[in-house]
Amino acid sequence: MANSSSPYAAPQLTSAHQAEILENPLRTYLLGIIISICGNVLISISLNIQKYAHVRQAQRGSKPYYTSLMWWCGVVLMGVGELGNFAAYGFAPASLIAPLGCVSVIASAVISVVFLKETVRASDIVGGTLAITGTYLLVTFAPHTSTHITAHLVQYYAISWHFLLYLFIEVIIFCILLYLYKMRKVKHIVIVMLLVALLASLTVISVKAVSGMITESIKGQLQLIYPIFYVMVVVMVASCAFQIKFLNQAMKMFDATEVVPINFVFFTASAILAGIVFYQEFEGLALLNIFMFLFGCLLSFLGVFLIARNRPKIKQQDRNFIAMDRIPGRRHTDKVQPEAKNPTYGSLAAKLMCNRAGQTDDS
């Protein structure tokens, strides 16, 4: 017992620790789910508010977007939603909170249709149905254990052999991908998204550790005096910063309809794997529960892919293109000639008219 009282010694898994790990308070578990769902809904609302603010400022063409009060309201809502997701990791397993991110995609699609008047596609309906079904399976068959995350427990998990092996493999893969991306200039979306996912696994581990230790401190068991807490804070901030960096680069190089579903799939897979390896969340879980949980993840992946696939874009007209009814000297009341119905003939006629106009000006 003397070793367990030291903040630097790795605690042994005594019966007291096992009782903490295997405790199953349903109220805490449901609270984490509700907080996560509400946080994801707030994030989707904030994204649509910011999108509407961008569109409105672009139509007015006067002030930049960051001077809009509506845009700042969206930023505040996003901060509250992300804070809710952060808090949810302290109440429910990481392998469950991460897949619930599909709620944000579903809510964003619904809000964009209702408020931004975007068209409803058949793929949106099918994708939403699959994602909702997958979410139900996730909540039903996910591990229902709610571990009390203490500094001693985090330190014990951090030096376990399976996590050290997992971290070693992850570092090697990350270095190889970074070499291909930076040195070999391989700009493939899978490479960039894998870099984001590998960083995301560390983010999930550190976020759950920090959130859990803060939750225990609020309950009365102070955990902020242990060095492992601040180590996890540094890992959380650093991994989030580089994750955002690579994600922004991906958004610049590739279309959002590609980045969003791939990022969701890779992030969820890495978060589930991190929860299994570090927090041992699937320990003692029945084989049927594992199968149904993974099946729910697959349905959520398919749903997000269908919703995000080929989203309608705001088309910008080419400035060099002049419509037939806008040609100088042509009246809007004139009837379109039958020959103009042929697109090839129409384009040739427009070129001839432009050439004649140029010749007239020269003369």
Side-chain angles (χ1 to χ4, degrees):
M1 296 299 294
N3 292 335
S4 61
S5 62
S6 173
Y8 301 99
Q12 301 296 323
L13 278 184
T14 61
S15 58
H17 280 101
Q18 289 180 351
E20 285 186 343
I21 295 174
L22 300 178
E23 186 180 355
N24 181 20
L26 184 60
R27 181 182 301 177
T28 305
Y29 174 79
L30 293 177
L31 180 62
I33 295 174
I34 293 173
I35 293 176
S36 176
I37 292 176
C38 293
N40 284 306
V41 171
L42 285 178
I43 290 173
S44 62
I45 293 174
S46 69
L47 290 174
N48 282 276
I49 289 177
Q50 293 180 63
K51 180 179 179 181
Y52 178 74
H54 279 292
V55 172
R56 192 176 66 172
Q57 292 298 109
Q59 291 175 350
R60 293 180 178 179
S62 54
K63 298 180 180 179
Y65 65 90
Y66 52 81
T67 60
S68 172
L69 179 62
M70 181 176 295
W71 184 83
W72 281 107
C73 290
V75 172
V76 172
L77 280 179
M78 174 170 284
V80 175
E82 293 292 354
L83 186 61
N85 271 335
F86 174 81
Y89 279 99
F91 296 98
S95 56
L96 173 62
I97 298 300
L100 287 179
C102 66
V103 175
S104 177
V105 180
I106 300 172
S108 181
V110 173
I111 293 172
S112 62
V113 170
V114 175
F115 295 99
L116 297 182
K117 307 303 180 182
E118 293 186 1
T119 57
V120 181
R121 305 170 303 166
S123 59
D124 294 335
I125 299 175
V126 176
T129 304
L130 290 176
I132 292 174
T133 305
T135 303
Y136 172 77
L137 293 178
L138 289 172
V139 174
T140 304
F141 295 97
H144 290 186
T145 55
S146 181
T147 307
H148 292 285
I149 304 298
T150 62
H152 292 299
L153 193 61
V154 172
Q155 184 172 308
Y156 173 81
Y157 286 151
I159 62 175
S160 60
W161 69 267
H162 41 78
F163 173 68
L164 293 177
L165 178 61
Y166 169 78
L167 184 63
F168 176 73
I169 296 174
E170 185 175 274
V171 170
I172 292 178
I173 296 175
F174 185 84
C175 292
I176 294 174
L177 292 174
L178 191 63
Y179 171 77
L180 293 175
Y181 179 67
K182 291 292 186 180
M183 304 302 295
R184 294 293 182 177
K185 305 298 181 182
V186 181
K187 306 296 183 181
H188 197 277
I189 187 172
V190 174
I191 291 181
V192 184
M193 290 294 97
L194 281 176
L195 289 171
V196 175
L198 292 174
L199 291 170
S201 65
L202 296 179
T203 303
V204 169
I205 291 173
S206 56
V207 164
K208 183 171 178 61
V210 172
S211 178
M213 285 188 277
I214 291 177
T215 302
E216 293 299 318
S217 299
I218 294 175
K219 291 180 179 179
Q221 299 180 4
L222 187 60
Q223 306 293 319
L224 308 185
I225 60 176
Y226 298 102
I228 191 65
F229 172 80
Y230 300 97
V231 171
M232 287 296 174
V233 169
V234 172
V235 173
M236 178 182 67
V237 174
S239 60
C240 280
F242 284 101
Q243 184 182 343
I244 293 173
K245 175 185 176 181
F246 285 115
L247 191 58
N248 286 332
Q249 292 178 2
M251 292 296 289
K252 290 180 181 178
M253 293 186 294
F254 308 102
D255 193 76
T257 58
E258 298 176 309
V259 175
V260 170
I262 295 178
N263 180 58
F264 174 73
V265 172
F266 284 6
F267 171 81
T268 303
S270 65
I272 293 174
L273 188 60
I276 293 174
V277 174
F278 190 86
Y279 293 104
Q280 304 174 16
E281 293 177 346
F282 277 23
E283 186 176 1
L285 196 64
L287 185 61
L288 177 61
N289 287 52
I290 296 176
F291 174 78
M292 295 303 294
F293 178 83
L294 296 178
F295 183 64
C297 289
L298 178 61
L299 291 181
S300 299
F301 294 162
L302 291 175
V304 171
F305 173 77
L306 290 176
I307 293 174
R309 182 176 64 95
N310 297 330
R311 295 297 303 174
K313 303 176 184 178
I314 299 176
K315 296 182 179 180
Q316 295 180 351
Q317 189 175 3
D318 189 0
R319 295 181 179 179
N320 298 324
F321 174 77
I322 302 177
M324 292 293 294
D325 58 348
R326 298 295 182 182
I327 296 178
R330 183 181 178 88
R331 295 181 180 180
H332 297 285
T333 57
D334 293 347
K335 294 183 179 180
V336 179
Q337 298 296 328
E339 298 85 357
K341 293 181 181 180
N342 190 328
T344 305
Y345 181 86
S347 60
L348 291 175
K351 291 180 181 179
L352 290 173
M353 291 179 67
C354 292
N355 292 334
R356 289 178 183 176
Q359 294 174 0
T360 305
D361 293 339
D362 293 337
S363 61

